[in-house]
Every structure is written in C-alpha cells, then in structure tokens.
Amino acid sequence: MAPGSALGEALQPQGYRQRWPPAVASEDAYYDGHNRQGMKVPMQHWDKYLENESLEETRQDTPRAQAMIGSCANQMWELSKSARYCRLVQRALELASEAQQVALVSELRGRIIEATMDPYANHVVQRAIELMRPMAIPFVLSELLEHKRGIPDLARHRYGCRVLERIIEHFPLRDLEALVDKMLHDAKNLIGHPFGNFVMQHLLEHGAEHHKRHLVSVLSVTDEELKLACGHQYAASVLDKALSYCPAEQQRDLASRVLRIPGALTEMARQRGGFAATQRLFKVVSSDHDRLRDAKRQLTAASAELLQSKHGRALLAQVYPELLDPSVTSLPGLPSP
C-alpha cells in the first residue's frame, strides 16, 4: 500500500488499523461493511486512487461511491484545503445525490470567502456551483456579497475570479444584479486587470444586454480609451468578447470605431493579447466590403513589422493570407502600387 499523507493519518478514525487488502471476500463487501456500520473508510485508503489518478473509475450508486462520500462527511473544510484530498471531495460531490451534496457543501457555510481565496478549496466551491442547483446553495452567493473588501476585490483575486466566473455561468441573472452592479462600478479597473479581465469577459458572454452595453461604453468612452484598450494585453481580450457576444449591430459599430481611430487596429494586431480580437474584428466586417478593405489596408501598412514575429505571421495567415503569398503581386481590393 502506498504510504498515506500526514493529513490522511490525522483524519483517520482514532485507534483504527487499516487492513488492505481487507479480510473480506471482495472490495464491495469491504465498503458495504463500513457503510452499514456508519464507519468511515480511513483517508489513507483513498491515497492509492489519488496517486493512480483512478478516482474517475468509481461509479455512482456503488458501495465505493457511498464510502467515498462518507469519508468526506463531517470534515469537508479540512479536506477541501488539502492539495491531495480536495480532489477526493470534488469526486465525492460528483457521485453524491443532491441531498448528499447539500449536506457536504453545507459544512462550508460561513467559510465561503475563505474557501474562495484558498488555492485548493476554491476548486471545491467551483465544482459545487457547477453541479448543484443555485436554490440548493443560496448561502454561497450571499456570503460572497458580504465580503468585507467587496466583490471587485474577489474579481481581482487569483482564485476569487474563478469562483465569480462559475457564479456568472450557473446562477440566474435575476439573482446576480447586486453582485454584477458592484463589479460594473469598478469595470474600468477590472477590464485591465490580470484576473479581473476574465470576469469582465464572462459578463460579456453570459450577462444581460444592459451589462454588455455598460462594458462597451467603458471600453470606448473616448477614442483614446478605445485605442488604449486595443493595445492593452488584458483589455484587448475583453474587447474580443465584446466583438463576439454583443448584439450584431453593436459589434459592427465597435469594429467601425476601431478602424476609424488611427493606429488602433495595428496596436491590437502587434501584441499577443490582441490576436483573438483582431481575428474577430475581421469576421465582424467580413460582409462589409469597404470596412474589410480598410482593415486590410491598415494591416498592410504594418505588415513589415508583423512579419518579423511568429505571432504576427500567424495572425496574418488567419486574417490576410495574401500578404504571405510571394506570388501575389497585387493585393485584392487594394490600389495597385
């Protein structure tokens, strides 16, 4: 048997001596015996499954699944904070019935903020949000809203941003107005933040129309602000989502504004963060001959620089492959030299 972790030893029942393989006819009988007697299978037992990455082999409604769920009960917080056992907790939640899920996750009540900002427990909170109906875990949202430093602080947090993304994906928008309003008040800072920008992207993908309008207005309040966003590593990714998920007319208007601002498109094309946004802009204007021609002209002017980098060549291969073809002497839609 693989040696158990210190946490596994600390969490196993006092005075319990593990025997494995057990002196029973089958593995199912071993689990059945523990389940019938209300005994926890010691944490060390699960180490071999974690080390072999074979937790996924466990199926629902089997004695092993019930034993796994039982092992997590009444120690969810300690296990969720463990680099090793947080994976066991997530698998237990996947195998549990809704009633069992509620019982397990309720053990984290009062600790949601701490769990959200923990490098391991945040994964458990995320999985619970993905698996459970929002009405089964309303305390998760209410505790996030009570964070003393505010929702924008969570959006700027390395792990907090991930939990907010799952909330935006899985909770009804009608329940999120207070949470979203708090983020939109700080949208300008979040758009350009290494972690906050991901939450803003999620709002553009999953938010209501008025959320999207607000974010576009923040991105493009002035031509100068929009040009800065085009050339910003993180804000350009938010711009990409605006060009992808806003209503079609708003996408076209935003693309047209980028093309009208001198240097905005080339700023976006030059940096890696603008790769997807540049591709998307070309898709948005693909049916508009004049705007497509203008976009190609602007990239042609910057082609010498773009061709010097792997990133630039890859971008041109996607949006304007003619520039890479030495046999093409006159580019379509552009005036002859």
Side-chain angles (χ1 to χ4, degrees):
M1 182 190 72
S5 68
L7 180 60
E9 293 174 357
L11 292 173
Q12 71 179 18
Q14 188 173 7
Y16 187 95
R17 294 187 63 189
Q18 181 176 352
R19 295 181 296 169
W20 189 261
V24 291
S26 71
E27 187 181 73
D28 279 354
Y30 172 74
Y31 295 127
D32 266 332
H34 282 74
N35 294 338
R36 284 196 304 270
Q37 297 176 48
M39 296 174 58
K40 289 182 183 293
V41 172
M43 295 309 301
Q44 282 181 310
H45 170 77
W46 303 112
D47 286 345
K48 69 173 184 177
Y49 294 102
L50 290 163
E51 290 165 2
N52 296 334
E53 298 186 354
S54 56
L55 285 178
E56 298 300 320
E57 296 174 4
T58 303
R59 297 291 175 258
Q60 282 185 308
D61 300 320
T62 61
R64 184 198 292 173
Q66 294 307 307
M68 188 184 299
I69 295 164
S71 290
C72 294
N74 301 316
Q75 47 189 355
M76 278 285 289
W77 177 234
E78 291 79 7
L79 296 176
S80 296
K81 292 187 298 179
S82 163
R84 175 186 292 260
Y85 294 117
C86 75
R87 293 165 50 209
L88 183 75
V89 171
Q90 291 174 71
R91 185 58 180 149
L93 286 173
E94 293 166 359
L95 296 169
S97 66
E98 183 176 53
Q100 290 171 321
Q101 289 173 339
V102 169
L104 291 173
V105 178
S106 292
E107 294 182 34
L108 301 180
R109 189 186 295 269
R111 297 183 179 273
I112 293 300
I113 294 297
E114 192 176 353
T116 293
M117 303 177 86
D118 184 87
Y120 307 113
N122 81 86
H123 295 289
V124 174
V125 178
Q126 289 186 67
R127 200 71 186 107
I129 294 168
E130 290 171 335
L131 292 169
M132 301 173 69
R133 294 182 300 155
M135 66 178 61
I137 47 173
F139 64 90
V140 172
L141 179 58
S142 62
E143 289 187 31
L144 291 176
L145 286 168
E146 292 168 3
H147 180 45
K148 292 180 180 178
R149 294 197 293 273
I151 293 297
D153 178 73
L154 289 177
R156 288 189 290 267
H157 191 273
R158 179 183 297 272
Y159 310 122
C161 69
R162 302 175 188 177
V163 171
L164 290 177
E165 288 170 30
R166 302 293 86 74
I167 287 281
I168 292 168
E169 289 171 359
H170 295 281
F171 272 59
L173 285 175
R174 64 178 178 273
D175 296 341
L176 298 182
E177 283 301 324
L179 180 140
V180 172
D181 283 349
K182 292 176 187 294
M183 289 190 288
L184 291 180
H185 277 105
D186 199 26
K188 183 176 180 179
N189 292 321
L190 293 176
I191 284 170
H193 190 272
F195 304 123
N197 83 88
F198 293 112
V199 184
M200 298 297 97
Q201 291 183 54
H202 262 62
L203 276 180
L204 284 163
E205 184 173 352
H206 301 281
E209 294 304 314
H210 64 282
H211 301 149
K212 299 177 183 183
R213 286 195 301 271
H214 181 91
L215 285 172
V216 170
S217 70
V218 172
L219 276 168
S220 59
V221 63
T222 65
D223 285 355
E224 182 181 1
E225 289 288 340
L226 182 53
K227 185 175 181 179
L228 287 173
C230 288
H232 192 281
Q233 178 181 1
Y234 305 120
S237 296
V238 180
L239 182 58
D240 168 48
K241 291 299 188 292
L243 289 167
S244 301
Y245 293 104
C246 285
E249 183 177 355
Q250 195 169 25
Q251 292 179 30
R252 290 191 292 269
D253 289 345
L254 188 57
S256 297
R257 280 197 61 188
V258 171
L259 293 175
R260 287 198 303 268
I261 300 170
L265 177 60
T266 53
E267 283 289 326
M268 191 161 67
R270 283 187 184 110
Q271 48 99 15
R272 291 179 181 276
F275 188 106
T278 305
Q279 280 186 293
R280 181 61 195 173
L281 182 142
F282 268 75
K283 290 180 181 177
V284 170
V285 303
S286 61
S287 60
D288 186 321
H289 176 76
D290 290 337
R291 289 191 176 94
L292 180 60
R293 183 170 178 269
D294 189 17
K296 288 183 174 182
R297 180 187 295 112
Q298 292 184 37
L299 281 196
T300 300
S303 61
E305 179 183 348
L306 292 172
L307 289 169
Q308 295 302 311
S309 69
K310 182 178 179 180
H311 152 74
R313 291 192 298 273
L315 175 62
L316 291 174
Q318 291 292 320
V319 301
Y320 200 6
E322 297 93 335
L323 278 175
L324 301 178
D325 188 348
S327 66
V328 177
T329 57
S330 178
L331 296 172
L334 296 179
S336 300

